mmCIF file of all heavy atoms in Angstrom:
data_model
loop_
_atom_site.group_PDB
_atom_site.id
_atom_site.type_symbol
_atom_site.label_atom_id
_atom_site.label_comp_id
_atom_site.label_asym_id
_atom_site.label_seq_id
_atom_site.Cartn_x
_atom_site.Cartn_y
_atom_site.Cartn_z
ATOM 1 N N GLU A 1 3.219 -24.133 -13.269
ATOM 2 C CA GLU A 1 4.625 -24.528 -13.192
ATOM 3 C C GLU A 1 5.019 -25.510 -14.288
ATOM 4 O O GLU A 1 6.177 -25.930 -14.359
ATOM 5 C CB GLU A 1 4.908 -25.172 -11.829
ATOM 6 C CG GLU A 1 4.660 -24.267 -10.654
ATOM 7 C CD GLU A 1 5.584 -23.057 -10.657
ATOM 8 O OE1 GLU A 1 6.772 -23.205 -10.995
ATOM 9 O OE2 GLU A 1 5.106 -21.965 -10.298
ATOM 10 N N ASN A 2 4.102 -25.884 -15.168
ATOM 11 C CA ASN A 2 4.396 -26.842 -16.231
ATOM 12 C C ASN A 2 5.182 -26.163 -17.345
ATOM 13 O O ASN A 2 4.638 -25.378 -18.118
ATOM 14 C CB ASN A 2 3.094 -27.449 -16.777
ATOM 15 C CG ASN A 2 3.351 -28.579 -17.727
ATOM 16 O OD1 ASN A 2 4.171 -28.488 -18.634
ATOM 17 N ND2 ASN A 2 2.627 -29.663 -17.520
ATOM 18 N N ASP A 3 6.448 -26.454 -17.418
ATOM 19 C CA ASP A 3 7.350 -25.800 -18.372
ATOM 20 C C ASP A 3 7.011 -26.165 -19.811
ATOM 21 O O ASP A 3 7.045 -25.318 -20.704
ATOM 22 C CB ASP A 3 8.803 -26.186 -18.048
ATOM 23 C CG ASP A 3 9.800 -25.309 -18.761
ATOM 24 O OD1 ASP A 3 9.525 -24.089 -18.881
ATOM 25 O OD2 ASP A 3 10.841 -25.837 -19.216
ATOM 26 N N PHE A 4 6.674 -27.442 -20.047
ATOM 27 C CA PHE A 4 6.363 -27.882 -21.409
ATOM 28 C C PHE A 4 5.175 -27.147 -21.983
ATOM 29 O O PHE A 4 5.259 -26.578 -23.079
ATOM 30 C CB PHE A 4 6.103 -29.405 -21.433
ATOM 31 C CG PHE A 4 5.599 -29.885 -22.764
ATOM 32 C CD1 PHE A 4 6.454 -29.976 -23.841
ATOM 33 C CD2 PHE A 4 4.268 -30.236 -22.940
ATOM 34 C CE1 PHE A 4 6.004 -30.418 -25.076
ATOM 35 C CE2 PHE A 4 3.802 -30.666 -24.165
ATOM 36 C CZ PHE A 4 4.673 -30.766 -25.233
ATOM 37 N N LEU A 5 4.048 -27.135 -21.262
ATOM 38 C CA LEU A 5 2.842 -26.500 -21.781
ATOM 39 C C LEU A 5 3.032 -24.986 -21.905
ATOM 40 O O LEU A 5 2.522 -24.379 -22.850
ATOM 41 C CB LEU A 5 1.629 -26.834 -20.901
ATOM 42 C CG LEU A 5 0.257 -26.541 -21.508
ATOM 43 C CD1 LEU A 5 0.104 -27.205 -22.869
ATOM 44 C CD2 LEU A 5 -0.841 -27.004 -20.590
ATOM 45 N N THR A 6 3.787 -24.382 -21.020
ATOM 46 C CA THR A 6 4.072 -22.953 -21.113
ATOM 47 C C THR A 6 4.833 -22.659 -22.405
ATOM 48 O O THR A 6 4.517 -21.704 -23.106
ATOM 49 C CB THR A 6 4.889 -22.468 -19.898
ATOM 50 O OG1 THR A 6 4.165 -22.789 -18.718
ATOM 51 C CG2 THR A 6 5.138 -20.986 -19.960
ATOM 52 N N LYS A 7 5.815 -23.475 -22.728
ATOM 53 C CA LYS A 7 6.580 -23.285 -23.970
ATOM 54 C C LYS A 7 5.704 -23.535 -25.196
ATOM 55 O O LYS A 7 5.836 -22.828 -26.208
ATOM 56 C CB LYS A 7 7.796 -24.207 -23.996
ATOM 57 C CG LYS A 7 8.877 -23.738 -23.046
ATOM 58 C CD LYS A 7 10.089 -24.642 -23.108
ATOM 59 C CE LYS A 7 11.158 -24.124 -22.146
ATOM 60 N NZ LYS A 7 12.361 -24.945 -22.156
ATOM 61 N N VAL A 8 4.808 -24.496 -25.132
ATOM 62 C CA VAL A 8 3.892 -24.754 -26.254
ATOM 63 C C VAL A 8 3.003 -23.527 -26.485
ATOM 64 O O VAL A 8 2.815 -23.086 -27.618
ATOM 65 C CB VAL A 8 3.034 -26.000 -26.011
ATOM 66 C CG1 VAL A 8 1.899 -26.114 -26.998
ATOM 67 C CG2 VAL A 8 3.891 -27.255 -26.056
ATOM 68 N N LEU A 9 2.451 -22.967 -25.403
ATOM 69 C CA LEU A 9 1.554 -21.821 -25.529
ATOM 70 C C LEU A 9 2.276 -20.558 -25.983
ATOM 71 O O LEU A 9 1.656 -19.667 -26.573
ATOM 72 C CB LEU A 9 0.836 -21.554 -24.195
ATOM 73 C CG LEU A 9 -0.090 -22.665 -23.692
ATOM 74 C CD1 LEU A 9 -0.693 -22.266 -22.366
ATOM 75 C CD2 LEU A 9 -1.153 -23.015 -24.709
ATOM 76 N N ASN A 10 3.584 -20.450 -25.724
ATOM 77 C CA ASN A 10 4.338 -19.282 -26.146
ATOM 78 C C ASN A 10 4.898 -19.413 -27.558
ATOM 79 O O ASN A 10 5.457 -18.457 -28.081
ATOM 80 C CB ASN A 10 5.514 -19.023 -25.168
ATOM 81 C CG ASN A 10 5.021 -18.500 -23.848
ATOM 82 O OD1 ASN A 10 4.010 -17.825 -23.769
ATOM 83 N ND2 ASN A 10 5.739 -18.829 -22.791
ATOM 84 N N GLY A 11 4.743 -20.560 -28.188
ATOM 85 C CA GLY A 11 5.298 -20.797 -29.508
ATOM 86 C C GLY A 11 4.488 -20.193 -30.633
ATOM 87 O O GLY A 11 3.306 -19.838 -30.487
ATOM 88 N N MET A 12 5.152 -20.055 -31.777
ATOM 89 C CA MET A 12 4.487 -19.487 -32.969
ATOM 90 C C MET A 12 3.399 -20.413 -33.484
ATOM 91 O O MET A 12 2.394 -19.954 -34.011
ATOM 92 C CB MET A 12 5.514 -19.238 -34.057
ATOM 93 C CG MET A 12 6.401 -18.040 -33.783
ATOM 94 S SD MET A 12 7.669 -17.788 -35.038
ATOM 95 C CE MET A 12 6.733 -17.640 -36.529
ATOM 96 N N ALA A 13 3.594 -21.715 -33.361
ATOM 97 C CA ALA A 13 2.587 -22.658 -33.842
ATOM 98 C C ALA A 13 1.279 -22.476 -33.081
ATOM 99 O O ALA A 13 0.191 -22.539 -33.679
ATOM 100 C CB ALA A 13 3.085 -24.089 -33.694
ATOM 101 N N PHE A 14 1.360 -22.225 -31.777
ATOM 102 C CA PHE A 14 0.134 -22.027 -31.011
ATOM 103 C C PHE A 14 -0.526 -20.699 -31.380
ATOM 104 O O PHE A 14 -1.738 -20.605 -31.409
ATOM 105 C CB PHE A 14 0.396 -22.089 -29.509
ATOM 106 C CG PHE A 14 -0.878 -22.049 -28.697
ATOM 107 C CD1 PHE A 14 -1.695 -23.154 -28.637
ATOM 108 C CD2 PHE A 14 -1.266 -20.906 -28.038
ATOM 109 C CE1 PHE A 14 -2.880 -23.125 -27.925
ATOM 110 C CE2 PHE A 14 -2.455 -20.865 -27.314
ATOM 111 C CZ PHE A 14 -3.254 -21.985 -27.265
ATOM 112 N N ALA A 15 0.277 -19.674 -31.667
ATOM 113 C CA ALA A 15 -0.283 -18.388 -32.120
ATOM 114 C C ALA A 15 -1.055 -18.590 -33.418
ATOM 115 O O ALA A 15 -2.145 -18.046 -33.600
ATOM 116 C CB ALA A 15 0.816 -17.361 -32.285
ATOM 117 N N GLY A 16 -0.501 -19.389 -34.316
ATOM 118 C CA GLY A 16 -1.223 -19.715 -35.568
ATOM 119 C C GLY A 16 -2.466 -20.509 -35.287
ATOM 120 O O GLY A 16 -3.506 -20.326 -35.941
ATOM 121 N N PHE A 17 -2.390 -21.430 -34.335
ATOM 122 C CA PHE A 17 -3.548 -22.232 -33.936
ATOM 123 C C PHE A 17 -4.669 -21.324 -33.442
ATOM 124 O O PHE A 17 -5.826 -21.482 -33.842
ATOM 125 C CB PHE A 17 -3.107 -23.208 -32.830
ATOM 126 C CG PHE A 17 -4.222 -23.969 -32.176
ATOM 127 C CD1 PHE A 17 -4.741 -25.112 -32.758
ATOM 128 C CD2 PHE A 17 -4.757 -23.555 -30.970
ATOM 129 C CE1 PHE A 17 -5.767 -25.815 -32.162
ATOM 130 C CE2 PHE A 17 -5.777 -24.253 -30.348
ATOM 131 C CZ PHE A 17 -6.277 -25.391 -30.951
ATOM 132 N N VAL A 18 -4.347 -20.348 -32.598
ATOM 133 C CA VAL A 18 -5.356 -19.434 -32.046
ATOM 134 C C VAL A 18 -5.960 -18.586 -33.161
ATOM 135 O O VAL A 18 -7.183 -18.394 -33.230
ATOM 136 C CB VAL A 18 -4.757 -18.554 -30.935
ATOM 137 C CG1 VAL A 18 -5.697 -17.414 -30.564
ATOM 138 C CG2 VAL A 18 -4.467 -19.389 -29.719
ATOM 139 N N SER A 19 -5.125 -18.080 -34.066
ATOM 140 C CA SER A 19 -5.667 -17.227 -35.137
ATOM 141 C C SER A 19 -6.524 -18.030 -36.104
ATOM 142 O O SER A 19 -7.514 -17.512 -36.628
ATOM 143 C CB SER A 19 -4.550 -16.503 -35.875
ATOM 144 O OG SER A 19 -3.733 -17.416 -36.554
ATOM 145 N N GLU A 20 -6.197 -19.294 -36.307
ATOM 146 C CA GLU A 20 -6.971 -20.123 -37.232
ATOM 147 C C GLU A 20 -8.236 -20.671 -36.575
ATOM 148 O O GLU A 20 -9.304 -20.684 -37.172
ATOM 149 C CB GLU A 20 -6.103 -21.281 -37.722
ATOM 150 C CG GLU A 20 -6.791 -22.194 -38.706
ATOM 151 C CD GLU A 20 -5.921 -23.369 -39.093
ATOM 152 O OE1 GLU A 20 -4.713 -23.148 -39.357
ATOM 153 O OE2 GLU A 20 -6.443 -24.494 -39.145
ATOM 154 N N ARG A 21 -8.127 -21.134 -35.348
ATOM 155 C CA ARG A 21 -9.255 -21.804 -34.687
ATOM 156 C C ARG A 21 -10.012 -20.906 -33.722
ATOM 157 O O ARG A 21 -10.986 -21.340 -33.140
ATOM 158 C CB ARG A 21 -8.732 -23.033 -33.940
ATOM 159 C CG ARG A 21 -8.149 -24.025 -34.887
ATOM 160 C CD ARG A 21 -8.179 -25.390 -34.290
ATOM 161 N NE ARG A 21 -7.946 -26.362 -35.321
ATOM 162 C CZ ARG A 21 -8.904 -27.036 -35.945
ATOM 163 N NH1 ARG A 21 -10.168 -26.830 -35.652
ATOM 164 N NH2 ARG A 21 -8.619 -27.903 -36.864
ATOM 165 N N GLY A 22 -9.562 -19.698 -33.535
ATOM 166 C CA GLY A 22 -10.192 -18.803 -32.574
ATOM 167 C C GLY A 22 -11.520 -18.233 -32.991
ATOM 168 O O GLY A 22 -12.389 -18.045 -32.134
ATOM 169 N N PRO A 23 -11.731 -17.919 -34.275
ATOM 170 C CA PRO A 23 -13.003 -17.296 -34.648
ATOM 171 C C PRO A 23 -14.213 -18.143 -34.215
ATOM 172 O O PRO A 23 -14.188 -19.360 -34.377
ATOM 173 C CB PRO A 23 -12.933 -17.186 -36.173
ATOM 174 C CG PRO A 23 -11.479 -17.157 -36.468
ATOM 175 C CD PRO A 23 -10.843 -18.019 -35.423
ATOM 176 N N PRO A 24 -15.232 -17.503 -33.683
ATOM 177 C CA PRO A 24 -16.382 -18.259 -33.190
ATOM 178 C C PRO A 24 -17.286 -18.797 -34.291
ATOM 179 O O PRO A 24 -18.109 -19.658 -34.042
ATOM 180 C CB PRO A 24 -17.141 -17.241 -32.330
ATOM 181 C CG PRO A 24 -16.713 -15.930 -32.862
ATOM 182 C CD PRO A 24 -15.327 -16.076 -33.380
ATOM 183 N N PHE A 25 -17.108 -18.311 -35.535
ATOM 184 C CA PHE A 25 -17.952 -18.759 -36.628
ATOM 185 C C PHE A 25 -17.038 -19.193 -37.781
ATOM 186 O O PHE A 25 -16.458 -18.374 -38.474
ATOM 187 C CB PHE A 25 -18.880 -17.634 -37.097
ATOM 188 C CG PHE A 25 -19.910 -18.069 -38.095
ATOM 189 C CD1 PHE A 25 -20.986 -18.832 -37.704
ATOM 190 C CD2 PHE A 25 -19.773 -17.726 -39.420
ATOM 191 C CE1 PHE A 25 -21.931 -19.240 -38.634
ATOM 192 C CE2 PHE A 25 -20.721 -18.139 -40.356
ATOM 193 C CZ PHE A 25 -21.791 -18.883 -39.960
ATOM 194 N N ARG A 26 -16.900 -20.478 -37.933
ATOM 195 C CA ARG A 26 -16.049 -21.052 -38.998
ATOM 196 C C ARG A 26 -16.455 -22.504 -39.219
ATOM 197 O O ARG A 26 -17.305 -23.038 -38.497
ATOM 198 C CB ARG A 26 -14.582 -20.943 -38.623
ATOM 199 C CG ARG A 26 -14.213 -21.717 -37.392
ATOM 200 C CD ARG A 26 -12.707 -21.736 -37.156
ATOM 201 N NE ARG A 26 -12.407 -22.242 -35.843
ATOM 202 C CZ ARG A 26 -12.446 -23.532 -35.500
ATOM 203 N NH1 ARG A 26 -12.779 -24.428 -36.380
ATOM 204 N NH2 ARG A 26 -12.159 -23.921 -34.270
ATOM 205 N N ALA A 27 -15.826 -23.146 -40.179
ATOM 206 C CA ALA A 27 -16.101 -24.557 -40.437
ATOM 207 C C ALA A 27 -15.502 -25.396 -39.309
ATOM 208 O O ALA A 27 -14.359 -25.210 -38.932
ATOM 209 C CB ALA A 27 -15.498 -24.978 -41.779
ATOM 210 N N CYS A 28 -16.295 -26.295 -38.743
ATOM 211 C CA CYS A 28 -15.845 -27.157 -37.651
ATOM 212 C C CYS A 28 -15.295 -28.472 -38.217
ATOM 213 O O CYS A 28 -15.668 -28.880 -39.315
ATOM 214 C CB CYS A 28 -16.992 -27.460 -36.698
ATOM 215 S SG CYS A 28 -17.564 -26.003 -35.829
#
């Protein structure tokens, strides 16, 4: 029911975050 976090997760910035930080093998 948290509207703020739902909007954050639906945003383009979070999609970019997932595509950048999602790979399991990358520089930490």
Side-chain angles (χ1 to χ4, degrees):
E1 300 296 322
N2 188 312
D3 194 38
F4 172 74
L5 196 53
T6 303
K7 287 181 180 181
V8 168
L9 297 179
N10 289 330
M12 286 177 57
F14 187 75
F17 172 83
V18 168
S19 65
E20 181 183 317
R21 297 204 165 262
F25 187 74
R26 63 173 169 76
C28 294

